[in-house]
Amino acid sequence: MRILLIEDEFQIASHIRQTLRSEGFVVDWVKEGEKGFLKASSISYDLLLVDIFLPDANGVEICKKLRRDGNKT
């Protein structure tokens, strides 16, 4: 299973990535909302974990834009 983590805080992202990887998941991490949106738009993921309060974007709005563009993740 391939997961995209969009999280701006290093400590939180590091802990989540380490935990998921120890369970066998492949985890890509980006810390900016716009970069996360572009990555989710161009690569097929099984799951998106998106921080709601990102400095450059709103996580809910990222998900809404992905859905409008046809992304079913």
Side-chain angles (χ1 to χ4, degrees):
M1 178 179 261
R2 189 164 189 180
I3 300 171
L4 175 61
L5 171 63
I6 306 173
E7 169 60 60
D8 62 312
E9 294 189 37
F10 177 79
Q11 296 278 66
I12 294 171
S14 179
H15 179 70
I16 292 171
R17 287 171 61 211
Q18 181 180 18
T19 301
L20 290 171
R21 286 180 174 169
S22 72
E23 294 296 322
F25 298 103
V26 175
V27 181
D28 292 340
W29 170 54
V30 294
K31 52 186 175 175
E32 294 92 11
E34 284 304 313
K35 285 184 181 176
F37 173 78
L38 293 173
K39 198 161 193 134
S41 296
S42 62
I43 298 172
S44 178
Y45 288 97
D46 299 297
L47 177 70
L48 304 175
L49 293 175
V50 185
D51 184 355
I52 294 175
F53 301 110
L54 296 162
D56 68 329
N58 177 302
V60 173
E61 289 303 314
I62 291 171
C63 293
K64 286 180 180 180
K65 285 191 327 187
L66 288 167
R67 285 290 174 156
R68 275 194 297 261
D69 291 349
N71 189 317
K72 302 294 184 193
T73 305

